[in-house]
Amino acid sequence: MKGKIKIKRLEVKKGMYLRDKDFHGNSGWTLASKWFWNQVKERVGEVVKAEMRINTKDIPYLILYTTTDVKVCLYGLNAGYGGTGPQAAVEILSEAGFNPKRAKETVFNNETFVLRRRPKGVAQYV
């Protein structure tokens, strides 16, 4: 993949905005987004929010928000049906700590959405 060297040297810092297409040069390619996620997931912090958006050019993308204020933007994922892009979105959301059943239901039935989860170790109020 084109961006391997850039990612190996990447120092992830609080507040960064990481866009997959800046590293591999592709937009809208599911495998490239999955590759990018696998390269950075251990370095960005715990994911606590996921938001599927559609930009002004009708291009969907997923933003993952972390406890370290890092945002990971994946342009090869989409939602609203059961295809390859949405299936990859469900896989990544599940890896990121979201309930797999809820992720699948949300992704397959909505073109845009927001999912939130509590960070590990944060008590739930009764």
Side-chain angles (χ1 to χ4, degrees):
M1 186 70 52
K2 182 178 173 182
K4 274 188 179 179
I5 294 171
K6 284 170 74 173
I7 289 180
K8 282 184 182 178
R9 295 181 183 160
L10 175 67
E11 184 180 338
V12 177
K13 297 177 183 173
K14 184 176 181 165
M16 287 184 85
Y17 189 78
L18 303 173
R19 299 181 331 160
D20 63 349
K21 65 184 183 178
D22 293 341
F23 291 86
H24 54 62
N26 298 298
S27 184
W29 187 23
T30 301
L31 289 177
S33 287
K34 286 177 64 173
W35 170 83
F36 182 75
W37 170 247
N38 285 322
Q39 299 300 309
V40 301
K41 66 184 175 185
E42 300 298 327
R43 298 191 265 170
V44 296
E46 186 179 359
V47 177
V48 291
K49 178 182 170 186
E51 184 175 7
M52 181 67 73
R53 295 181 179 177
I54 299 175
N55 70 15
T56 56
K57 296 179 182 178
D58 287 332
I59 298 171
Y61 58 100
L62 180 68
I63 302 176
L64 302 173
Y65 299 84
T66 72
T67 55
T68 58
D69 198 30
V70 172
K71 295 169 191 72
V72 179
C73 190
L74 304 170
Y75 283 87
L77 307 177
N78 54 18
Y81 67 106
T84 304
Q87 289 177 13
V90 170
E91 181 181 325
I92 288 171
L93 291 169
S94 298
E95 285 179 8
F98 291 92
N99 178 297
K101 184 177 177 181
R102 181 174 176 226
K104 185 175 183 178
E105 183 179 304
T106 302
V107 170
F108 289 175
N109 293 307
N110 302 280
E111 287 185 355
T112 61
F113 60 83
V114 176
L115 287 173
R116 298 176 196 277
R117 59 181 287 278
R118 285 184 178 76
K120 292 177 184 169
V122 174
Q124 183 175 0
Y125 291 101
V126 179

